[in-house]
Amino acid sequence: MKKIIVCGAGIGGMVSAIRLAHLGFQVEIFEKNNYAGGKMGEYYETGFRFDTGPSLITMPYVLEEFFKETGRDIKDYINLVPLDNACKYFWSDGVTFNAYTEQIKFKDEFVSVFGEEEYQGFLNYLEYGKFFFEMSEKNILQSEFRIRNFLTAKGIKNINKFISGKSINDLSNKFFKDPKLKQLFDRYATYNGSSPYLASQIFSIIPYIEFKYGAWYSEGGMYRIAKALVRICGEYNIKINYGHELTDITSASGKINKCIFTIHDEAQKSVSEFDIMISNFTNNIKLTGKEYFKTGDWSSSGFIALIGFNEVSDILSQHNILFSEDYEKEFIDIFEKKIPADDMTVYISVTGKSESNDAPAGAENWFVLVNTPALSDNFSWTDKHKYEYFEKVIDKINSFGIFSGDIREKILFSKIFTPADFLKNYGSEFGSIYGLSSNSLFTMFRRPKNKSDNYSNLYFTGGNTHPGGGVPLCFLSGKIVSEIIRDGNKNSY
Ligand SMILES: Cc1cc2nc3c(=O)[nH]c(=O)nc-3n(C[C@H](O)[C@H](O)[C@H](O)COP(=O)(O)OP(=O)(O)OC[C@H]3O[C@@H](n4cnc5c(N)ncnc54)[C@H](O)[C@@H]3O)c2cc1C
């Protein structure tokens, strides 16, 4: 039986491990933190619970398939719950828009806020997203990245749409007149850590997926998903070695033959009894190669504030966006100047709207997220900068009148995470959420492939590799890697 070691117990790492154990491989995981889940985490403070990473699930069918294909019923592990309102959007002039997930309710809201003509533009936009989704779902999202996968008859006929150089923002300009709608649809580029002014129109599949499959959350909190994966690892006797940070490797004849781990920041341990290695991260230059680190075109990171309030807001939904005044300037700050935007768009997720246990009665748990650049020499998150930025974000929220008066007076506690914490906690390149950004189509070619070009027994899984970031795509990444390994080792496990 072949032995596989998986480094990293994020979603992609655990999904790969489970799928391969299900196929009959012997699998062991090594994780640098003392917990599993990676970017999917949670935080507790005095009666409050917060998800610290993902807050929204799209493509629930991908998660359902994983459970089914490993012989399980998802309901025995997690309960995915559809949201009635995918997101409530706020603009500074007082306009709001609820993206209801029920079609008639959505249309009524859309027409009343933006008008009938814009609704037709919305339907045309979705057709575009649908086209890209149907072209890519099986051939790209569910398969190993290969140029030939694009070269179907339909793909060749429509090649101009793929390589047109048009951005998400170009697409918004094509279909919408209202600047608010353009901003709303441009925001989807941030789902993969990119700028709408640079990322390809292909990513119109993101809103298409959200509108088609809805917005979901996991009952009891997103972290239940990570916990479910840990439980399944136990069911397959997959040992997770916590506190094991991969610090070096050795290789011979194009194969990795030894992994060196630093255990709990102290002792070192070498592991050489394995045939195949899977990495759930791309931060190690020996694994990814120098070229990968050359571009510096990293996806965005985040500034997070977990805030406990002693009051409940009537006007917030579970997911909320408070938009900045000048969206283009915000992205110039983030991706060109590489500094935190002065006037920022603020995302607020309040799981307490669905989960009564997430905050005490009469109180509310806010997960506040602002997109920021990955770490660079242009800005450093000193304590001073961190608290100054927090004040700016609070001022911005105040300007929307979420609570009457200054929200500072209602804050019981706050806990801040910056890109420097992302780097420390997840080991992701320069604190970025998704590794390389998708600001250029060429990124697809520069990401480490699921099967390494550098070593014959090395594979990559997770959001920084193919097919990309976000929880469902990490599940797909784990699937793709397990299938490549299965197909390459047919008679030997
Ligand atoms: C703030 C935030 C909000 C998000 N919101 C959403 C959302 O709403 N919806 C959504 O679908 N997605 C969202 N995402 C993205 C989603 O969380 C990630 O794409 C996904 O969880 C990444 O999984 P992964 O498999 O890439 O592993 P990661 O989570 O990146 O985990 C990698 C693991 O490897 C470990 N590791 C790193 N280096 C080493 C080493 N040297 N040795 C050993 N172990 C190591 C890390 O500790 C970590 O456990 C969000 C992410 C963040 C940070």
Side-chain angles (χ1 to χ4, degrees):
M1 189 197 293
K2 285 208 168 168
K3 165 101 192 253
I4 299 177
I5 61 166
V6 178
C7 295
I11 302 300
M14 289 193 285
V15 168
S16 311
I18 291 165
R19 282 185 170 274
L20 287 159
H22 186 71
L23 287 169
F25 288 93
Q26 192 193 340
V27 189
E28 188 169 355
I29 300 179
F30 295 86
E31 162 58 49
K32 81 174 178 59
N33 291 333
N34 293 324
Y35 56 88
K39 291 169 191 130
M40 180 183 277
E42 70 179 347
Y43 178 78
Y44 285 86
E45 185 157 339
T46 52
F48 290 78
R49 192 202 69 86
F50 300 86
D51 286 308
T52 57
S55 52
L56 178 87
I57 293 288
T58 57
M59 304 169 90
Y61 66 91
V62 167
L63 277 65
E64 280 156 15
E65 258 168 36
F66 161 79
F67 283 91
K68 202 164 154 211
E69 286 170 11
T70 55
R72 290 171 168 76
D73 185 348
I74 189 168
K75 292 210 161 45
D76 294 334
Y77 294 83
I78 49 173
N79 188 17
L80 292 182
V81 184
L83 288 169
D84 166 54
N85 187 356
C87 188
K88 184 169 179 183
Y89 298 90
F90 296 77
W91 286 271
S92 61
D93 59 3
V95 173
T96 61
F97 172 70
N98 292 289
Y100 294 118
T101 47
E102 198 279 313
Q103 275 185 18
I104 295 174
K105 230 171 137 185
F106 175 84
K107 184 178 177 190
D108 287 349
E109 172 84 352
F110 195 106
V111 171
S112 83
V113 178
F114 300 114
E116 191 76 45
E117 197 189 329
E118 294 279 27
Y119 188 71
Q120 191 50 50
F122 162 74
L123 295 179
N124 294 340
Y125 186 106
L126 277 202
E127 277 305 307
Y128 228 78
K130 182 177 179 205
F131 164 81
F132 284 120
F133 180 69
E134 287 177 352
M135 290 292 295
S136 56
E137 216 252 326
K138 284 274 165 295
N139 291 339
I140 299 172
L141 297 182
Q142 304 250 10
S143 311
E144 189 178 358
F145 180 73
R146 287 199 182 109
I147 293 295
R148 70 166 185 259
N149 290 353
F150 290 91
L151 303 178
T152 58
K154 202 173 169 193
I156 293 167
K157 196 169 149 222
N158 290 285
I159 193 80
N160 56 329
K161 278 193 182 161
F162 282 95
I163 58 166
S164 71
K166 293 236 164 62
S167 68
I168 285 270
N169 178 254
D170 291 329
L171 207 58
S172 301
N173 286 330
K174 177 177 166 131
F175 290 114
F176 303 119
K177 293 195 181 72
D178 190 325
K180 290 189 172 72
L181 262 181
K182 292 178 187 177
Q183 195 172 21
L184 194 158
F185 278 84
D186 279 356
R187 193 185 73 90
Y188 285 98
T190 65
Y191 278 35
N192 65 16
S194 306
S195 161
Y197 302 92
L198 301 168
S200 162
Q201 60 178 0
I202 294 174
F203 294 108
S204 54
I205 68 171
I206 300 174
Y208 171 73
I209 287 169
E210 192 171 296
F211 287 107
K212 176 154 172 72
Y213 297 104
W216 301 69
Y217 89 104
S218 159
E219 193 180 293
M222 287 295 169
Y223 196 62
R224 289 270 172 103
I225 299 172
K227 276 187 181 161
L229 295 177
V230 171
R231 184 175 142 202
I232 302 173
C233 283
E235 288 165 3
Y236 285 102
N237 290 323
I238 300 169
K239 184 175 178 204
I240 305 181
N241 300 277
Y242 292 106
H244 281 60
E245 178 168 9
L246 182 86
T247 37
D248 205 358
I249 55 141
T250 62
S251 64
S253 312
K255 277 187 159 194
I256 297 179
N257 57 11
K258 194 191 286 177
C259 287
I260 296 136
F261 296 96
T262 301
I263 308 172
H264 298 293
D265 295 328
E266 288 170 4
Q268 290 222 320
K269 173 164 126 186
S270 296
V271 175
S272 47
E273 300 81 37
F274 62 88
D275 303 287
I276 292 168
M277 173 184 176
I278 299 176
S279 178
N280 190 196
F281 45 83
T282 44
N283 59 24
N284 186 308
I285 203 161
K286 275 202 179 169
L287 297 182
T288 49
K290 281 189 199 132
E291 278 303 306
Y292 172 68
F293 283 88
K294 264 190 180 160
T295 67
D297 187 10
W298 304 109
S299 57
S300 57
S301 183
F303 176 90
I304 293 175
L306 308 178
I307 310 179
F309 283 100
N310 64 6
E311 198 171 311
V312 172
S313 150
D314 298 333
I315 64 170
L316 288 182
S317 186
Q318 182 156 336
H319 298 285
N320 309 274
I321 286 289
L322 319 183
F323 273 121
S324 63
E325 295 293 330
D326 185 343
Y327 218 34
E328 192 161 5
K329 180 176 178 306
E330 185 177 347
F331 285 95
I332 289 174
D333 283 349
I334 297 173
F335 287 103
E336 285 181 31
K337 296 187 182 163
K338 298 185 195 290
I339 54 169
D342 207 39
D343 177 32
M344 69 296 279
T345 294
V346 181
Y347 167 70
I348 304 174
S349 166
V350 192
T351 57
K353 297 286 181 198
S354 295
E355 294 286 333
S356 57
N357 290 335
D358 281 1
E364 206 156 63
N365 65 330
W366 288 20
F367 165 90
V368 175
L369 172 67
V370 174
N371 292 314
T372 59
L375 297 169
S376 79
D377 291 341
N378 295 15
F379 187 84
S380 84
W381 287 96
T382 60
D383 275 354
K384 181 173 171 285
H385 286 133
K386 176 166 136 176
Y387 293 111
E388 276 173 8
Y389 204 62
F390 178 72
E391 293 304 322
K392 273 191 189 175
V393 173
I394 295 294
D395 285 342
K396 182 76 188 173
I397 298 172
N398 265 337
S399 72
F400 283 82
I402 305 293
F403 288 128
S404 60
D406 188 344
I407 66 168
R408 288 179 181 84
E409 285 157 21
K410 300 169 201 305
I411 293 179
L412 297 171
F413 64 86
S414 59
K415 168 101 184 147
I416 300 172
F417 298 91
T418 71
D421 297 303
F422 282 36
L423 176 64
K424 186 165 151 264
N425 296 343
Y426 319 127
S428 53
E429 296 82 291
F430 301 92
S432 64
I433 300 184
Y434 302 107
L436 284 181
S437 79
S438 297
N439 285 338
S440 151
L441 260 190
F442 292 106
T443 307
M444 281 194 237
F445 300 92
R446 295 199 306 243
R447 280 213 179 98
K449 299 199 185 83
N450 298 119
K451 181 168 183 2
S452 162
D453 286 333
N454 301 332
Y455 303 100
S456 62
N457 63 342
L458 172 65
Y459 298 80
F460 290 101
T461 187
N464 296 12
T465 174
H466 181 73
V471 174
L473 295 198
C474 291
F475 269 80
L476 290 179
S477 189
K479 179 181 179 184
I480 294 167
V481 162
S482 67
E483 287 174 353
I484 304 171
I485 294 175
R486 175 198 65 195
D487 294 347
N489 294 273
K490 278 221 157 102
N491 302 315
S492 53
Y493 65 92

